[in-house]
Amino acid sequence: MNALVPLPVLLPLCATGLSLAFGTRLARFQRIISVAVLTAVLGLSVTLMIASDREGPLSVHLGDFAPPLGITLVADRLSGLMLTVSSAVTLAVLVYSLGQGMADRDKETPVAVFHPAYLILVAGVSCTFLAGDLVNLYVGFEIMLVASFVLLTLGGTGPRIRAGSTYVIISLLSSMLFLTAIAMTYAATGTANFAQLAVRLPDLPIGVQTLIQAMLLTVFAIKAAVFPLAAWLPDSYPTAPAPVTAVFAGLLTKVGIYCMLRTETLLFPGNRLGDLLMAAALASMVVGILGAVAQTDLKRLLSFTLISHIGYMVFGIGLATRDAYGGAIFYVAHHITVQTTLFLVAGLMERRGGTNELTRLGGLARSAPLLAVLFFVPAMNLAGIPPLSGFIGKLGLMRAGVADGGVWAWILVTGATVTSLLTLYVMAKVWNLAFWRAEPPDLAAFGTVLESADETEDDTDLGPDRIPGTGDEGVTGAPGPAGQVVAATLHGQSVTTTTRPPRAMTAATAGAVAFGLAFTVLAGPLAAYTDRSAAELIARTPYVEEVLGR
Amino acid sequence: MTVSVSLLATAVVLCAVGGILMLTRPLTRILLGVVIAGNGINLLVLSSTGSAGAAPLLYGVPLRRVTDPLPQAIALTALVITLATTAFLLAMAYRSHQLTGTDEVHDDLEDRRIVLRTEVRGEWAELREEYRAEPGRTPDERTRYREERHRLRARLRADRALQARGRDANGDLWHDVLGADPEDYPGGATTPGATGTHGQDPDRGAAG
């Protein structure tokens, strides 16, 4: 069973090679290989999750080098769950993007880049979830980041380059901080292996321990977009193609949360910086959701709710009791799915209404009832309406907060309640504007190339953000036949409204919604599982013994 | 563990220089900053080896006296990664230059919106004050006032429309990638105010 552990990383990497080798000639082969590999990774992840639940953590020392020399990969309950949820979500997003790509004119577009980059992203995410030492965690981060750079700037259009540059610089900066933290840890302890660190760190002076902890927390907080370090997120994510935004929003921030959970429990038990984490959690929740209230663009609005709900997970980590960790893990799994689904739906709405600007959308509940259902369920799930899994996750966290009973815990419980209500308000706003109200008169007709809707002569003096190609005489306002798909958001081309999005896109979104509902239906077993993994995290000995030998 | 002071001092200087470069606007400078600071941090990683010893070979060297090989491996990994990201940043800086004539990192959209809003509000308030201060109002003045107000509102609307359009649709990709060299864009557009030229290039639409 242990031999399976490296496969979630290896398979996508090998498939990337194949995809690059054959992709330019055989686009179909490329698609088949991506779907097959991601399905295999999903199967493997489920196997690993079940196996680690039954037999305790599984570990592999690559090349049979003992720590600290070799690379260690470990799959315990937490990694197993994260792997399963992430591979299910990436598979759904892949199918969605296939549906989008096939409908688009992709004869000449650089779609050859999308599949390899996506597979590398999956490999990087798996690598971070399985990493058993800080250096490997760093490498996993970098694999993931480089792939995400490519995906975020896909097509190299003006807005994507603009948004991408912020993202790239912030990511590079956090990588440097991470490397510094690794250097400090290694200098202080002589190892970077998690299990060995867990043994050796408590012998260090308290100041050094706190310094290393603070450094690592800062790095992961940048990744996870916790409030003071979250300013990069709402500006960079929304410009990417819909499937890319969906997978980034769902997964990449949660990777940061996973790393926080792992290091806070395994390396720094005792919760020295708990109050700080709780303050950051409160700020993320409130500032994030207030940012969402102010937005009228759906994707930006969702990005702000993402920041706000990261606060819930950080709240759980800051409380640091078994219930709180369990609640946080449950919430991570729930939130990955629901946030990805909402971004996928946003992509479909863009297809349907031609824009993500809420003030220009309307009447979708009548014209696209299926889409309305697909939006409504995850939206209510995000807001935490019972009996959906968002409610269960929030309830678990708040119960842990009440049980803790400290001042901070009570403040956080209040903050979480307010945030939850404001999320409901935001989601109701989206529902009312985009779905419930009557169609605005200037809603683009189907088959119209958008982008001609507004005045063009006014904005020549608006500075460097002038988007090239928007004043294009040849394209502007040229109506196509109704139902024709000219859209190619995946490749940075213009969007055209269609009466019927490709089946694969709708099916993938519906699959993601169903996966989110599965958390509600299977809430009992899942909560028991997250509770067991929280117990395992707190106990620490199973992990350490598995890696270092009994 | 003893650490070489010169190594640490070099690392500190490199990080400081890199940090200052990263605070600037142009991407190429940021790139240089990333490279320099990256080297500084690599030195920091190397310095965690402690005092130097013999080469870390498996045979023929007494084990106690070899240099710790692990930080070297870490630094090598980091170097390779820095190389890759450098290549990517260079490509991005070039692309940014192709598109806008500069490779500067632009402001956050939200920031721009807030700045524009305060500007417009300020002008609006001034206008109102001026208008109210005058006792007698001719119809001419009233029209002028109304027009000014409309102009301000249009500015806000135009900015919002620009943002919405930026998200909705972006030109034809292949023309941008293959056919677009900087001389294709008339005027060169080197300063932030002097842009807006690309969209009016008449042959772009035809080619797309």
Side-chain angles (χ1 to χ4, degrees):
Chain A
M1 195 54 85
N2 286 17
L4 292 184
V5 176
L7 286 184
V9 187
L10 273 181
L11 278 183
L13 278 184
C14 295
T16 309
L18 280 180
S19 190
L20 277 175
F22 298 110
T24 45
R25 291 288 163 83
L26 303 168
R28 184 161 205 183
F29 176 73
Q30 204 179 29
R31 293 187 200 121
I32 292 174
I33 214 169
S34 304
V35 173
V37 162
L38 286 192
T39 318
V41 171
L42 176 61
L44 274 170
S45 312
V46 173
T47 319
L48 283 178
M49 180 170 96
I50 295 171
S52 63
D53 190 27
R54 284 205 188 129
E55 301 161 23
L58 311 165
S59 75
V60 172
H61 302 299
L62 297 185
D64 214 14
F65 286 109
L69 282 182
I71 292 173
T72 312
L73 294 180
V74 190
D76 64 351
R77 287 188 183 123
L78 176 61
S79 320
L81 179 69
M82 295 297 283
L83 271 179
T84 307
V85 176
S86 74
S87 46
V89 163
T90 45
L91 184 63
V93 173
L94 180 72
V95 174
Y96 181 94
S97 67
L98 285 182
Q100 181 169 0
M102 279 175 194
D104 297 339
R105 299 177 301 179
D106 61 355
K107 277 183 203 127
E108 299 181 297
T109 40
V111 78
V113 190
F114 176 76
H115 285 269
Y118 193 77
L119 287 170
I120 290 182
L121 184 84
V122 174
V125 170
S126 307
C127 187
T128 41
F129 288 154
L130 289 171
D133 58 88
L134 277 177
V135 179
N136 204 19
L137 192 69
Y138 169 73
V139 173
F141 263 21
E142 292 300 316
I143 297 175
M144 190 176 85
L145 282 182
V146 172
S148 71
F149 296 165
V150 175
L151 288 173
L152 198 72
T153 55
L154 210 63
T157 55
R160 285 188 193 157
I161 293 288
R162 186 193 67 75
S165 45
T166 325
Y167 176 75
V168 171
I169 295 161
I170 294 285
S171 305
L172 287 181
L173 200 67
S174 82
S175 301
M176 283 180 193
L177 276 179
F178 196 7
L179 202 58
T180 316
I182 292 176
M184 290 196 308
T185 318
Y186 191 85
T189 60
T191 182
N193 186 287
F194 281 150
Q196 282 184 325
L197 282 176
V199 178
R200 291 186 198 176
L201 270 175
D203 299 337
L204 292 181
I206 201 86
V208 179
Q209 280 188 52
T210 316
L211 177 64
I212 294 175
Q213 187 183 8
M215 286 285 284
L216 286 177
L217 272 182
T218 313
V219 173
F220 300 144
I222 295 177
K223 285 275 162 315
V226 179
F227 165 62
L229 308 168
W232 57 272
L233 191 142
D235 202 40
S236 54
Y237 278 7
T239 45
V244 172
T245 312
V247 81
F248 281 16
L251 276 185
L252 297 200
T253 45
K254 307 312 179 299
V255 169
I257 293 290
Y258 164 83
C259 294
M260 276 188 182
L261 264 172
R262 178 67 74 205
T263 50
E264 284 298 291
T265 52
L266 191 61
L267 307 188
F268 310 102
N271 197 27
R272 270 189 302 275
L273 297 179
D275 287 351
L276 187 69
L277 279 176
M278 290 219 242
L282 183 70
S284 300
M285 281 181 199
V286 175
V287 174
I289 202 65
L290 288 180
V293 168
Q295 295 300 317
T296 55
D297 174 64
L298 182 57
K299 279 183 170 179
R300 287 181 82 85
L301 183 147
L302 287 177
S303 303
F304 274 105
T305 61
L306 169 62
I307 296 176
S308 141
H309 284 244
I310 288 291
Y312 284 96
M313 298 160 226
V314 179
F315 169 40
I317 298 171
L319 274 176
T321 59
R322 176 172 164 170
D323 286 346
Y325 283 138
I329 297 169
F330 187 95
Y331 205 85
V332 171
H334 144 80
H335 195 251
I336 289 179
T337 320
V338 80
Q339 195 73 47
T340 308
T341 316
L342 279 172
F343 272 106
L344 290 183
V345 178
L348 285 180
M349 283 165 69
E350 192 178 23
R351 273 297 172 112
R352 179 75 202 202
T355 177
N356 270 322
E357 188 66 31
L358 291 172
T359 48
R360 286 160 59 195
L361 281 171
L364 285 178
R366 179 175 297 168
S367 60
L370 178 63
L371 187 60
V373 173
L374 288 182
F375 174 81
F376 188 75
V377 174
M380 289 303 111
N381 203 346
L382 185 74
I385 297 295
L388 295 166
S389 57
F391 169 73
I392 301 167
K394 289 187 177 79
L395 185 70
L397 282 170
M398 285 183 197
R399 270 180 58 183
V402 172
D404 181 85
V407 180
W408 266 115
W410 275 109
I411 296 175
L412 260 289
V413 169
T414 320
T417 319
V418 172
T419 308
S420 178
L421 287 174
L422 281 175
T423 310
L424 185 62
Y425 163 71
V426 168
M427 286 299 138
K429 184 176 113 180
V430 175
W431 174 259
N432 281 337
L433 284 178
F435 291 94
W436 210 237
R437 67 169 173 171
E439 280 183 33
D442 57 341
L443 187 72
F446 297 124
T448 311
V449 180
L450 296 166
E451 87 188 58
S452 58
D454 295 288
E455 56 270 82
T456 39
E457 68 276 10
D458 275 1
D459 47 29
T460 41
D461 57 343
L462 278 174
D465 278 356
R466 181 88 173 85
I467 292 112
T470 44
D472 240 345
E473 306 305 316
V475 185
T476 307
Q484 181 199 6
V485 184
V486 192
T489 35
L490 195 60
H491 319 304
Q493 291 177 333
S494 55
V495 176
T496 303
T497 50
T498 53
T499 40
R500 175 183 292 267
R503 281 223 183 90
M505 287 168 83
T506 320
T509 315
V513 172
F515 187 59
L517 283 180
F519 287 157
T520 309
V521 177
L522 300 175
L526 186 65
Y529 182 91
T530 54
D531 186 51
R532 284 198 298 280
S533 54
E536 187 181 65
L537 284 180
I538 288 177
R540 304 207 298 153
T541 36
Y543 189 100
V544 175
E545 277 182 355
E546 170 62 29
V547 175
L548 299 181
R550 269 148 260 243
Chain B
M1 194 175 88
T2 50
V3 176
S4 151
V5 177
S6 61
L7 213 56
L8 271 187
T10 322
V12 167
V13 170
L14 286 179
C15 284
V17 172
I20 288 171
L21 277 175
M22 271 191 271
L23 290 177
T24 56
R25 280 283 173 125
L27 265 179
T28 16
R29 287 198 187 191
I30 294 173
L31 172 72
L32 287 178
V34 167
V35 172
I36 293 174
N39 282 338
I41 287 165
N42 280 331
L43 283 184
L44 206 66
V45 174
L46 278 186
S47 72
S48 67
T49 323
S51 52
L57 299 174
L58 204 51
Y59 305 107
V61 183
L63 261 183
R64 285 269 147 220
R65 313 238 328 263
V66 297
T67 307
D68 187 351
L70 217 57
Q72 301 182 6
I74 298 173
L76 257 178
T77 317
L79 272 179
V80 175
I81 292 169
T82 315
L83 179 76
T85 42
T86 305
F88 188 85
L89 260 180
L90 266 178
M92 213 162 72
Y94 178 66
R95 181 74 184 134
S96 178
H97 172 77
Q98 248 188 354
L99 285 170
T100 60
T102 75
D103 62 344
E104 288 198 352
V105 179
H106 297 306
D107 281 338
D108 190 278
L109 280 184
E110 225 65 33
D111 289 350
R112 270 169 39 109
R113 234 155 107 177
I114 291 169
V115 168
L116 188 75
R117 206 174 186 170
T118 30
E119 249 174 47
V120 167
R121 286 242 170 109
E123 276 182 48
W124 199 315
E126 231 169 73
L127 198 68
R128 201 167 46 207
E129 210 123 292
E130 210 176 280
Y131 181 69
R132 285 194 183 154
E134 283 174 36
R137 291 166 198 160
T138 59
D140 241 21
E141 273 171 340
R142 219 171 288 160
T143 343
R144 202 176 57 80
Y145 173 65
R146 210 177 302 132
E147 271 168 10
E148 283 287 302
R149 237 175 39 190
H150 284 171
R151 192 181 56 77
L152 286 174
R153 247 193 235 136
R155 256 179 81 189
L156 276 182
R157 231 192 356 254
D159 193 65
R160 223 176 289 139
L162 180 74
Q163 283 181 27
R165 243 209 331 271
R167 282 184 305 265
D168 288 352
N170 320 286
D172 187 54
L173 172 72
W174 273 115
H175 189 258
D176 280 353
V177 173
L178 298 176
D181 282 318
E183 54 265 31
D184 273 8
Y185 301 133
T190 42
T191 49
T195 44
T197 47
H198 330 143
Q200 283 134 23
D201 194 342
D203 63 27
R204 283 172 47 78

